[in-house]
Each structure stands twice: as structure tokens, then as C-alpha cells.
Amino acid sequence: MSTPRPDPLTFEVVDLIGSVVARYHEEYDRAAAQHSLTGAQARVLALLAIEPLPMRQVARTLKCEPSNVTGIVDRLEARGLVERRPDPADRRVKVAAMTVTGARTARLLRDSLGFAREPLAELSRAERTTLRDLLQRMVGEQQ
Amino acid sequence: MSTPRPDPLTFEVVDLIGSVVARYHEEYDRAAAQHSLTGAQARVLALLAIEPLPMRQVARTLKCEPSNVTGIVDRLEARGLVERRPDPADRRVKVAAMTVTGARTARLLRDSLGFAREPLAELSRAERTTLRDLLQRMVGEQQ
DNA sequence: TATTGTTATACTCTATAACTATA
DNA sequence: TATAGTTATAGAGTATAACAATA
């Protein structure tokens, strides 16, 4: 309700994180567009690159409604990047899994993400370690 | 074209940044929704909280097409949060500016953004300074 | 009855192209 | 003729509600 009165330093850090988020999105969307994918499609593809997942679980991971996943997977499937497989254990479930083409596209997508290289190249190994530890504590402790 | 072969440490940092980006969006969208705003509307409101801007410049800042801004400002204006003002110097220009209500909403929105407090509270002042300097170099050098 | 996935619907965001009014 | 803003259009993402198949 009342202003939490964060100190200027915290404000500065939050502001910088905002810039990082913006940069991250620009790069991500640009890389996705290079493969004619939207951001959402690229995210699902990257997710399924780790392991096949039931539709429901894709929705949970993306924190969106299951009905959205239907459409996104529809479009990925229409392009032959993903396929729906039955789950022998539960016939209600459909497992979204990458095709060989999808796996190749996911790999290209990851490689074309310059974000990994350019901004971090400025930092020394020791600095990157420090950054990792600080971010880990920011993200890890919480939740 | 070929895999840039980033070292595991860089991968780890990029992964963490991905987590930070996800967290940032969750918080931002949740805070915006508390005020019945979409993410895009909240971003424009936050932008105009700094200073009034011509429609064209809002589009440039958001890196989207000017036609999109028309709709977003339409919806903000319909709710009385923003208004279009004429530019005396150039009658083609419409300057988007916040109303008093809009300014209050923008302030509430900023305050309800827990992202500033919770994850950073874990870090000491010295650590936040280190984090700021590292992020500054990541974001600043590049562009 | 509960759950999985889908469909139907409506709204927002997005880009493209064509239009208007100014410059 | 060039620019600022808008309109028209179409595609995609999003949530909600209702539905079929299965558990």
C-alpha cells in the first residue's frame, strides 16, 4: 500500500535488470524470427528440446492456460517441428515431442542466440563467476 | 553458422538470466493485472510517467509499429489514464501525456512491483553494488 | 466425478498497407 | 514529397467457458 522506499542502489539494479530483460527479448525474438517462429513457439520448442511433455505440463511450465498450448503446438506440428504422441499409460494424455527437423531447428535457434556471447564476452571468467553466484542467490533463494 | 561453443559457465549465466527474465515478467504482468492493465499498457504508462511523448516516439522506444501505439493509447485514454495533447509546433503531432489518475496508477504499479524488494533483499549492499557494476558493463558497453 | 485436451469466443498485441492531415 | 497519426486487415497469443473422451 505505502511506498516501500527502496534505496537508489536497488532502483539502479532493478533498472539494469529491466534493460537486460529488454535486450534478452529483442535477441530472442530476432533469433526466433530468423526461423519464422514467434517467441511463444520458440519457447515451446526449446522446452521440448529437453524432453517430450504432455500438453498439460507444457501449459504449467509456460504458466498459461492449456487451451493456448493447443494452438501453439498446432502451428509447430503443421510445420513438422513437433508431433503429438499418445501416452500408453493414460489415453487422455497427448505427449508433445520434437521431430528430427524440430530438434535441428531448436539447435540452430540456440546457436543464433547472440545474447550468450556478446554481452558476457566483456566480462572476465572471475567476473562471470561472481555474476553467476549473485544471480543464483537472487533467483534461487526465492521460490 | 557453426556452434560458437560457449563454455559451461557462460551457459550457466545465460540460463540464470533466462530465469530472471521469467521472474521479471511474472511479477510485472501480475502487478499490471492488479490494476487491470496489460503488460503493454503498463509499459506505456511507465514510459509516460517520465515525460509526455509524441506517439511516434512511444513506438520507437517500445520498438513496435506506430499503429500499435494508437490502440494501446486508445485503451489507456478510454480509462482516463492518458490523454492526447496537440503539439503547438507541429500540428501533425499528438503528444501522449498522463492524467493525474494515470500518474497515481503508475505510482501504485511501480510500488506493487515486488521484484525490486524480494530477490534483491537477499543481497548485501556490497553485493548489490557488484551486481550493478557487472550488469552495467553487460548492458552498457554493448550499444 | 475428476481430469486431459480441445473447441468456441472475445480481447489484446503485432505487422503491413492504405489513408488523412499536415509539413 | 515526406512525415505523423490513424484505419483496416490479418495472424498470433491470451483467458474463459463449455465440451468429448477417458480415468
Side-chain angles (χ1 to χ4, degrees), chain B:
Chain B
M1 225 14 94
S2 67
T3 306
R5 196 193 305 267
D7 65 303
L9 175 58
T10 297
F11 252 146
E12 238 181 315
V13 175
V14 172
D15 221 55
L16 280 165
I17 290 172
S19 299
V20 170
V21 169
R23 274 282 310 270
Y24 189 90
H25 260 104
E26 272 174 61
E27 299 242 6
Y28 201 90
D29 289 351
R30 188 183 47 69
Q34 280 178 351
H35 300 276
S36 305
L37 293 168
T38 66
Q41 288 164 12
R43 267 191 301 281
V44 170
L45 202 60
L47 182 61
L48 299 180
I50 304 169
E51 58 173 345
L53 286 176
M55 301 295 283
R56 207 85 191 177
Q57 211 163 327
V58 174
R60 256 195 299 273
T61 310
L62 266 60
K63 294 186 208 304
C64 73
E65 292 301 314
S67 57
N68 301 332
V69 179
T70 299
I72 297 169
V73 169
D74 275 354
R75 288 179 272 277
L76 288 172
E77 195 167 31
R79 291 183 46 192
L81 302 174
V82 158
E83 61 183 12
R84 286 170 165 93
R85 296 179 188 156
D87 181 341
D90 186 339
R91 284 193 301 169
R92 292 172 303 179
V93 173
K94 290 179 189 168
V95 177
M98 285 205 322
T99 62
V100 173
T101 310
R104 189 173 52 235
T105 303
R107 207 171 332 108
L108 287 172
L109 183 69
R110 195 204 60 190
D111 287 354
S112 63
L113 214 89
F115 194 82
R117 299 189 292 280
E118 293 157 29
L120 288 175
E122 304 287 340
L123 307 183
S124 72
R125 180 158 194 89
E127 287 169 332
R128 275 175 291 172
T129 304
T130 305
L131 182 57
R132 180 200 60 189
D133 294 344
L134 289 173
L135 291 177
Q136 217 155 41
R137 287 185 47 203
M138 262 188 71
V139 177
E141 320 270 36
Q142 193 75 18
Q143 209 265 352

Side-chain angles (χ1 to χ4, degrees), chain A residues 14-136:
Chain A
V14 171
D15 221 55
L16 280 165
I17 291 172
S19 300
V20 170
V21 168
R23 273 282 311 269
Y24 188 90
H25 260 106
E26 272 174 62
E27 298 243 5
Y28 201 91
D29 290 351
R30 190 184 46 70
Q34 280 176 351
H35 300 276
S36 305
L37 293 168
T38 65
Q41 288 164 13
R43 268 192 300 281
V44 169
L45 202 61
L47 183 61
L48 299 180
I50 304 168
E51 58 173 347
L53 286 176
M55 301 294 281
R56 206 86 191 179
Q57 211 164 329
V58 174
R60 257 194 297 272
T61 309
L62 265 62
K63 296 186 207 304
C64 73
E65 293 302 312
S67 56
N68 301 332
V69 179
T70 299
I72 297 169
V73 169
D74 276 353
R75 288 180 272 276
L76 288 172
E77 195 167 32
R79 292 183 46 191
L81 302 175
V82 158
E83 63 183 11
R84 284 170 166 93
R85 295 177 190 158
D87 181 340
D90 186 338
R91 286 193 300 171
R92 291 173 304 181
V93 173
K94 291 180 190 169
V95 178
M98 284 203 324
T99 61
V100 173
T101 310
R104 188 172 54 237
T105 304
R107 208 174 329 110
L108 289 172
L109 183 69
R110 197 204 55 190
D111 288 354
S112 61
L113 214 89
F115 194 81
R117 300 189 291 281
E118 293 156 31
L120 289 174
E122 304 287 340
L123 307 183
S124 72
R125 181 160 194 85
E127 288 169 331
R128 275 175 292 171
T129 305
T130 305
L131 182 57
R132 180 201 59 187
D133 294 343
L134 288 174
L135 291 177
Q136 219 155 40

